[in-house]
């Protein structure tokens, strides 16, 4: 089974109840969502939590750029 493609999306998911921290309230979860599709039709999903919305676009671009490096590789996360 080999990696065929990535689908990357940056989302800022609002939290139903803000999380109170020492630095203030966390009102949303900035996430980069990733779907990795294989040549056998299996899709794996994961996410990267970003500590700030400012990091969403750069982190999403970084993850998207990894597709070129792993496309065609055996879908073995620890080896990749």
């Amino acid at each position: 089974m080999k990696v065929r493609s990535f689908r990357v999306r940056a989302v800022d998911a609002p939290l139903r109840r803000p999380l109170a921290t020492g630095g203030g309230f966390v009102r949303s979860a900035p996430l980069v969502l990733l779907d990795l599709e294989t040549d056998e039709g299996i899709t794996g999903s994961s996410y990267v939590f970003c500590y700030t919305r400012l990091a969403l676009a750069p982190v999403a671009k970084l993850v998207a750029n990894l597709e070129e490096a792993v496309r065609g590789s055996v879908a073995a996360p620890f080896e990749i």
Side-chain angles (χ1 to χ4, degrees), residues 3 5 10 17-20 24-25 31 33 35 40-41 43-44 51-52 55-56 61 63-64 67-68 76 79:
V3 175
S5 65
R17 289 185 298 165
L19 174 64
F25 286 96
L31 303 169
L33 307 177
D35 293 327
E40 293 184 14
T43 301
Y51 288 99
T52 175
L56 274 175
K61 184 69 173 169
V63 172
E67 179 180 10
E68 187 176 324
E79 293 176 23

Side-chain angles (χ1 to χ4, degrees), residues 21-78:
T21 70
F25 286 96
V26 178
R27 300 183 186 286
S28 65
L31 303 169
V32 175
L33 307 177
L34 168 66
D35 293 327
L36 183 146
E37 298 176 1
T38 69
D39 60 351
E40 293 184 14
I42 297 171
T43 301
S45 299
S46 190
Y47 67 91
V48 178
F49 175 79
C50 299
Y51 288 99
T52 175
R53 286 182 239 172
L54 297 172
L56 274 175
V59 171
K61 184 69 173 169
L62 174 70
V63 172
N65 286 340
L66 293 173
E67 179 180 10
E68 187 176 324
V70 300
R71 188 183 315 121
S73 298
V74 174
F78 293 113

